[in-house]
Amino acid sequence: MLAAGTAALLTGLLPWPAFQELAGRTVPVLTFVVAMSLVTEMVDDAGLFRVVTERLAALGRGRVSLMWLLVIGLATVSTVFLSLDTTAVLVTPVVVLLAIHARIPPLPFALTTVWLANTASLLLPVSNLTNLLAQDRLNLSPAAFAGLVWAPALVGILVPIGLLWLAFRKDLAGRYPPQPVHRARDKVLLYSASGVMVLLLPALVSGVPVQFPAMAAAAVLLGLFLCRRRSALRWSMVPWRPLMLTSGLFMVVEALHANGLTRFLSRIAGSGEGLPALLQLAGLGAGAANAVNNLPAYLALEPVGDSPVRLAALLIGVNLGPLVTPWASLATLLWHERLRTLNVEIRWGGFAAAGLAAVVLTVPLAVVALWLTTGMH
């Protein structure tokens, strides 16, 4: 995809001024992605996610339903503050392993993490790459962004949880035995990484451009690991493939916009901020996300989100909608990779059917919540 984007630039399909404007918007976003990838990888290597899940198992007091609720809290907080990809990559394996070791069916916990990785990613700019792009377009602070989307974000969490409970209530009704507690390999590294996270989370929502606190946290953790566990540092911590894919998508979609894509989409995306128009735009976003992927779907449709409310409706579609196809979001693909390493099988037919039911309920209800809370009724 990066090769296609480069070819578009070299052949003039992507005009140089448009590329410069695109780079000005996206380089800070991609810098944040790289820094946060390094942070979460090092925090995980320090053992923080394992410690958190062990505490959840202890707090669950042997009741599967209570532990599931605690896992919901972990997946939601991870997605909101650290991004959906963090939940897919780091929360999924520790939660699923916890279920396997406790002799609990892992499927309810696996689906909980991937659904919430997507549907809980609406509240803050840092929750999803699409949100960061929308925040830049709208020039909103994190608090103002949350003020715009808080109601649909709440729907995006509560409706999937309700559906999962209805589907798996029998599996979640049992008990599990006490779980072993592992000793930290390096307590200094664990406590230091925990301290970095405690400082980083409020910094990400402080209004400071998010790449700066993320870069600072990555630099501090790199220094700690160089001193105490140099062998853990590896080039694979940098998400090279997603980075190249994302950069290429930015360039290809911008080239398409320069050659008439916006005019075409404006005819099918509707206009205005009435409820039918918002439902139309959100539905188009959800459909496009499941057809190609949520990031190019957002980039393609962003110009027709010509007001804060319409852009929020588009975010509902591309953030809450990618639950049907495996490729609808990078988080789902990463989640499936983690499950394969744990020998947990997913039947894509059942996954798609359950996801479609969730999308059909969640996306319209979220749009209604947006419409009601933004004074459009």
Side-chain angles (χ1 to χ4, degrees), residues 69 83 112 123 201 225 292 295 322 356:
L69 290 173
S83 88
T112 297
L123 184 62
L201 296 187
F225 271 78
V292 289
L295 183 58
L356 181 60

Side-chain angles (χ1 to χ4, degrees), residues 45 65 212 355:
D45 198 88
S65 58
F212 296 127

Side-chain angles (χ1 to χ4, degrees), residues 318-336:
V318 299
N319 288 12
L320 277 56
L323 301 182
V324 182
T325 58
W327 56 82
S329 76
L330 177 61
T332 303
L333 293 173
L334 295 171
W335 168 82
H336 186 241

Side-chain angles (χ1 to χ4, degrees), residues 11 24 26 70 81 88 117 135 170 178 185 195 277 280 301 322 343 347 367 374:
T11 58
T26 58
L70 293 168
F81 289 98
Q135 181 199 23
K170 292 182 180 178
R185 290 168 56 191
Q280 181 179 354
L301 290 164
N343 293 316
R347 296 179 180 176
V367 173
T374 52

Side-chain angles (χ1 to χ4, degrees), residues 6 26 39 41 82 144 148 154 158 162 164 188 193 203 229 235 253 256 258 268 311 327 336:
T6 304
T26 58
V39 167
E41 288 280 359
L82 299 176
L148 174 65
L154 192 60
L158 295 179
L164 288 166
V188 171
R229 196 182 297 170
W235 284 109
V253 175
L256 291 172
I268 61 174
L311 205 57
W327 56 82
H336 186 241

Side-chain angles (χ1 to χ4, degrees), residues 133-296:
L133 293 168
Q135 181 199 23
D136 175 72
R137 183 177 176 87
L138 296 172
N139 195 26
L140 293 176
S141 68
F145 185 93
L148 174 65
V149 299
W150 69 268
L154 192 60
V155 171
I157 295 169
L158 295 179
V159 173
I161 288 172
L163 292 173
L164 288 166
W165 173 255
L166 289 174
F168 295 108
R169 59 189 182 279
K170 292 182 180 178
D171 292 329
L172 298 171
R175 299 188 66 84
Y176 61 92
Q179 297 300 296
V181 176
H182 299 86
R183 293 185 60 184
R185 290 168 56 191
D186 186 332
K187 287 189 175 181
V188 171
L189 203 55
L190 174 62
Y191 294 150
S192 300
S194 303
V196 169
M197 293 302 290
V198 167
L199 295 173
L200 176 60
L201 296 187
L204 290 175
V205 296
S206 65
V208 176
V210 290
Q211 68 270 23
F212 296 127
M215 290 166 61
V220 170
L221 288 170
L222 281 170
L224 286 167
F225 271 78
L226 284 171
C227 292
R228 302 193 65 86
R229 196 182 297 170
R230 186 186 297 262
S231 61
L233 299 176
R234 55 198 185 279
W235 284 109
S236 61
M237 285 181 163
V238 179
W240 299 109
R241 288 175 60 189
L243 199 63
M244 290 188 290
L245 174 65
T246 302
S247 301
L249 284 172
F250 283 146
M251 295 170 71
V252 168
V253 175
E254 188 64 29
L256 291 172
H257 280 309
N259 290 276
L261 180 64
T262 303
R263 291 190 298 274
F264 169 74
L265 290 175
S266 65
R267 293 196 292 268
I268 61 174
S271 60
E273 298 178 351
L275 182 57
L278 298 180
L279 287 168
Q280 181 179 354
L281 181 54
L284 183 60
N290 283 290
V292 289
N293 179 267
N294 66 332
L295 183 58

Side-chain angles (χ1 to χ4, degrees), residues 7-33:
L9 180 62
L10 293 176
T11 58
L13 289 173
L14 174 57
W16 182 253
F19 172 73
Q20 288 180 305
E21 184 179 348
L22 176 70
R25 286 190 66 199
T26 58
V27 168
V29 171
L30 295 176
T31 301
F32 168 77
V33 170

